Amino acid sequence: MKISKDTKILIIGLGLIGGSYAKSLTEKGYFVGALDTDSNVIDYALKNGIVKCGKTLPTREYIADFDLIIFAVYPHTILEWIKKYQQFIKGNALIFDVTGIKSCFIYELQEILRENLEFVGAHPMAGRESSGIENAAAEIFLGANYIVTPTEKNTAGAIETCKELGKILGFSNISVLSPEKHDETIGFLSQLTHCIAVSLMTCRDMKAMAEYSGDSFRDLTRIAKINDEMWSELFLLNKDKLLSQMDLFKNSFNTLYDLIKSGDREKIQEMMKLSTRERELFDLAKGD
Amino acid sequence: MKISKDTKILIIGLGLIGGSYAKSLTEKGYFVGALDTDSNVIDYALKNGIVKCGKTLPTREYIADFDLIIFAVYPHTILEWIKKYQQFIKGNALIFDVTGIKSCFIYELQEILRENLEFVGAHPMAGRESSGIENAAAEIFLGANYIVTPTEKNTAGAIETCKELGKILGFSNISVLSPEKHDETIGFLSQLTHCIAVSLMTCRDMKAMAEYSGDSFRDLTRIAKINDEMWSELFLLNKDKLLSQMDLFKNSFNTLYDLIKSGDREKIQEMMKLSTRERELFDLAKGD
């Protein structure tokens, strides 16, 4: 499938990411419909021209109209929804998602999916500290990374369409990882960093600290404002891989702790030099 | 002393912070001279109009001209310098610094200082990942915090002048802490955050990670590009207080680790809710 202005796109779940997908695609002239259990959200999206149509309940009549369906809901919701309502989906439709973890549901989903439907996982590496459609913005995808996570069940054509969607949304780097490798990578880059920010923000009495803070503390804790419902689910669904990444960080932090305790300035500086070299690669990748 | 356009200000050490002080004060029309052991740095500062005069060696003739002296050098350098050269300083001159730790040298310094000189500690909570005068900029102080750390030896007048300097430089929040409380606070807000960033950046193989990274990892590791000479000195001079703050963070991180391991979603969410509330106070303080 080639995504065109005739492609009817359904976004299921108009939160921050689903809402931003909808805004971006509508602004670019694509046909976007929505499904969200909250009628206020649908009203808001219709009133603000973010979607062309919207419903709170899936009916055959409504769902069967769409060629491309994108799930932007909590991981556990996708499986339930597919079990109940995949009967309504048009034959040969493509289904994508935006979920932050993959291996815990993607194989089961592909197992139960009808023969003439295809699901390709995708993870837009973008977000904000504030959730909800009111905070949605097309710009959050610009300059960001987008990871497609195909399995052996996927066709080259569907994988290509999933990448194409990333290009349309304006991601600057589109890459491919297996679901397992994705979950390990995200356990490190995204989940571990949120664990660190939350731990730092809650480790002591913070009274008056804001008056003395520099940018470093603000930067490290920006993501400490966190959607607890979503992230606790993501953490637990990726538990083993996340705990492994937390172990790696603990070891490294303990090493630095011991070096400071023993006053080994040379080894501390070695660690800092490695840190500086590694971080410079990220600046290059970002182009700044 | 009231800082006026007639006040002759000497900055010792034209690195990132000393250079930014010089740029800011010169731009505002104050008389700024410099002392730096590197003749290239002095040449650069003179050629770019950052200072009115500059020398690489302290002579009585040069030093005795200044009313206000600001040390922007490594902590251990301040004491050595004062021991050797305080004889050159004009009577009733004021001396400030910009150092990131205080209690390890401030009392000794005030002990050995001539009767007719006064030293007041100050810590501008601003910086950049790149050091050196080429990266200096007056803007880094705008919206930032400035902490004055007086002792019982300081007079109300000199403390006031030190605060006034912070106002002239454009800091948005000027506060006062004892040297001990300052070191504990900075051990948490600044040194611990650098320890975390360095540990995170060096905890595993980073190959290709930049392609998959989101903003959260980039934000948490911005300060992982670190001046290893300066920070290793700061860490070790504040060792006990830093280790205590590292312990607090370790406990908090281990708590979250155990909650994830045991799958206690409710307690994870509680921790995230606390984290979110605490972080919101920082947004309020910053005015965003």
Side-chain angles (χ1 to χ4, degrees), chain B residues 168-180:
Chain B
I168 292 171
L169 289 165
F171 286 93
S172 66
N173 182 51
I174 291 160
S175 50
V176 173
L177 284 178
S178 71
E180 289 72 24

Side-chain angles (χ1 to χ4, degrees), chain B residues 40-89:
Chain B
N40 294 321
V41 167
I42 293 293
D43 288 348
Y44 179 95
L46 287 170
K47 214 173 277 175
N48 289 277
I50 298 170
V51 295
K52 286 250 176 21
C53 52
K55 297 266 179 213
T56 55
L57 287 173
T59 60
R60 180 180 302 271
E61 193 198 357
Y62 184 61
I63 302 297
D65 205 31
F66 293 97
D67 309 295
L68 174 57
I69 296 177
I70 301 165
F71 280 96
V73 292
Y74 285 16
H76 72 267
T77 314
I78 305 182
L79 271 177
E80 290 166 20
W81 199 99
I82 285 291
K83 281 179 195 162
K84 275 198 204 161
Y85 304 118
Q86 65 165 321
Q87 44 165 328
F88 298 163
I89 303 174

Side-chain angles (χ1 to χ4, degrees), chain A residues 66-287:
Chain A
F66 293 97
D67 310 293
L68 173 57
I69 295 176
I70 301 164
F71 280 97
V73 293
Y74 285 15
H76 72 268
T77 315
I78 304 182
L79 271 177
E80 290 167 20
W81 199 98
I82 285 292
K83 281 178 194 162
K84 276 197 204 161
Y85 304 117
Q86 66 165 321
Q87 45 165 329
F88 298 162
I89 303 175
K90 181 194 281 189
N92 298 315
L94 282 182
I95 307 167
F96 302 155
D97 76 328
V98 303
T99 308
I101 38 162
K102 300 300 182 191
S103 51
C104 65
F105 77 95
I106 209 164
Y107 298 104
E108 190 182 345
L109 180 68
Q110 291 183 329
E111 204 57 53
I112 62 172
L113 207 61
R114 277 165 40 203
E115 277 298 315
N116 62 350
L117 298 175
E118 184 167 350
F119 176 89
V120 187
H123 185 186
M125 295 294 292
R128 277 190 165 175
E129 305 84 82
S130 311
S131 52
I133 192 162
E134 321 82 59
N135 295 299
E139 298 76 47
I140 64 172
F141 306 130
L142 307 181
N145 292 325
Y146 177 86
I147 310 173
V148 179
T149 62
T151 71
E152 290 188 350
K153 291 222 170 189
N154 286 122
T155 61
I159 296 171
E160 208 40 58
T161 307
C162 191
K163 288 184 182 176
E164 194 195 339
L165 179 68
K167 273 177 219 139
I168 292 170
L169 290 165
F171 286 93
S172 64
N173 183 51
I174 291 160
S175 50
V176 173
L177 284 178
S178 70
E180 289 73 22
K181 190 71 193 157
H182 166 274
D183 289 354
E184 191 215 323
T185 304
I186 260 46
F188 175 65
L189 288 173
S190 171
Q191 297 188 333
L192 171 60
T193 51
H194 282 78
C195 286
I196 290 172
V198 167
S199 302
L200 179 58
M201 202 71 228
T202 57
C203 79
R204 56 164 283 161
D205 173 20
M206 287 289 170
K207 210 167 139 260
M209 280 293 172
E211 279 174 57
Y212 312 119
S213 162
D215 285 339
S216 57
F217 186 83
R218 276 197 210 92
D219 280 1
L220 257 81
T221 55
R222 183 181 60 85
I223 55 173
K225 256 169 76 179
I226 188 167
N227 178 335
D228 59 280
E229 206 177 332
M230 181 177 81
W231 283 96
S232 60
E233 179 166 335
L234 292 175
F235 282 6
L236 293 179
L237 286 172
N238 200 32
K239 184 159 120 173
D240 294 343
K241 293 200 173 71
L242 173 56
L243 290 175
S244 303
Q245 302 302 316
M246 290 178 88
D247 280 328
L248 292 174
F249 172 74
K250 276 211 263 187
N251 289 341
S252 181
F253 191 79
N254 288 337
T255 299
L256 182 56
Y257 184 96
D258 293 340
L259 292 175
I260 293 169
K261 196 167 183 181
S262 66
D264 191 339
R265 187 162 175 192
E266 197 180 321
K267 285 242 172 62
I268 296 172
Q269 286 187 252
E270 255 174 47
M271 202 167 162
M272 288 175 170
K273 283 190 173 108
L274 172 62
S275 165
T276 300
R277 281 197 305 276
E278 292 284 2
R279 186 56 177 80
E280 275 163 1
L281 301 177
F282 281 74
D283 285 351
L284 290 175
K286 181 85 179 176

